[in-house]
Amino acid sequence: THIELYKAFPKVGGIVHTHSPYAVAWAQAGRDIPCYGTTHADYFYGAIPCARHLTQAELDEDYEKGTGTVIIETFKDRGLDPTAVPAVICHSHGPFTWGKDAFEAVHNEVVLEEVAKMASRCERINPDVKPAPQELQDKHYYRKHGANAYYGQETGTETIRMLVVGFVLYVLPIIASWF
């Protein structure tokens, strides 16, 4: 899977695949994760897509390659930029995230799981909830990304500290829960 993504998405330098519970729940439901608020919009431009199931032939031939192919197909068919939406959930499987390096990929996984949790809770509180207005999504995404970005911290030591803290607080407990 990872090899296919590296070949198709040349700006990607790190990929993470987990079975984090909230992202997996959305994957098992076969639903995109809608952008209900600004936390989501700060990191992902629009909904986080759910890729289709693999066909029997794809499962039989080369499962890992097929998973990568289905992810790539999802981004091509929907006209999505993998740098603007650095995540996908695979139907009945789980999430993949990526970034310019492994640190960013881990960070995106931590954010994805939190966004999935918030979206799940949001729908529980209000089953009729609608995505955040597009202009609000645009403001939050583009203030951190793009030509005129102005919001956020400089990269460097602070980023590494934040990633280590995120890994310890979010990823390690997920891994520990598997045992």
Side-chain angles (χ1 to χ4, degrees):
T1 303
H2 295 216
I3 291 169
E4 299 306 312
L5 297 180
Y6 285 124
K7 289 190 301 189
F9 303 154
K11 293 182 180 177
V12 170
I15 299 169
V16 171
H17 170 56
T18 70
H19 288 261
S20 56
Y22 280 89
V24 167
W26 284 90
Q28 289 176 347
R31 288 188 52 202
D32 294 356
I33 302 173
C35 180
Y36 289 135
T38 59
T39 303
H40 182 131
D42 280 340
Y43 293 92
F44 306 102
Y45 191 68
I48 296 159
C50 183
R52 66 171 174 81
H53 282 122
L54 275 68
T55 64
Q56 188 64 53
E58 290 165 331
L59 291 167
D60 293 343
E61 186 176 326
D62 186 337
Y63 177 63
E64 287 75 16
K65 182 177 182 176
T67 301
T69 300
V70 166
I71 292 168
I72 295 160
E73 169 191 287
T74 298
F75 276 74
K76 284 184 181 174
D77 288 354
R78 297 189 192 194
L80 298 175
D81 176 356
T83 59
V85 185
V88 67
I89 52 177
C90 294
H91 200 310
S92 301
H93 186 167
F96 288 82
T97 60
W98 49 82
K100 67 178 183 257
D101 55 32
F103 290 115
E104 189 173 270
V106 169
H107 182 232
N108 288 335
E109 171 55 34
V110 171
V111 174
L112 171 62
E113 180 62 9
E114 289 303 309
V115 165
K117 185 187 308 180
M118 287 186 278
S120 179
R121 289 175 173 170
C122 186
E123 289 191 357
R124 197 172 323 132
I125 293 167
N126 179 2
D128 298 321
V129 65
K130 302 287 184 252
Q134 190 61 51
E135 57 273 15
L136 181 62
Q137 292 184 45
D138 289 348
K139 179 65 175 181
H140 270 263
Y141 182 80
Y142 287 116
R143 72 186 185 141
K144 291 183 81 171
H145 309 276
N148 297 314
Y150 64 89
Y151 188 84
Q153 297 178 351
E154 296 293 320
T155 58
T157 306
E158 179 60 23
T159 301
I160 292 171
R161 185 194 66 75
M162 180 185 66
L163 290 171
V164 170
V165 168
F167 184 80
V168 169
L169 292 176
Y170 296 102
V171 178
L172 286 180
I174 291 168
I175 293 169
S177 72
W178 298 339
F179 299 100

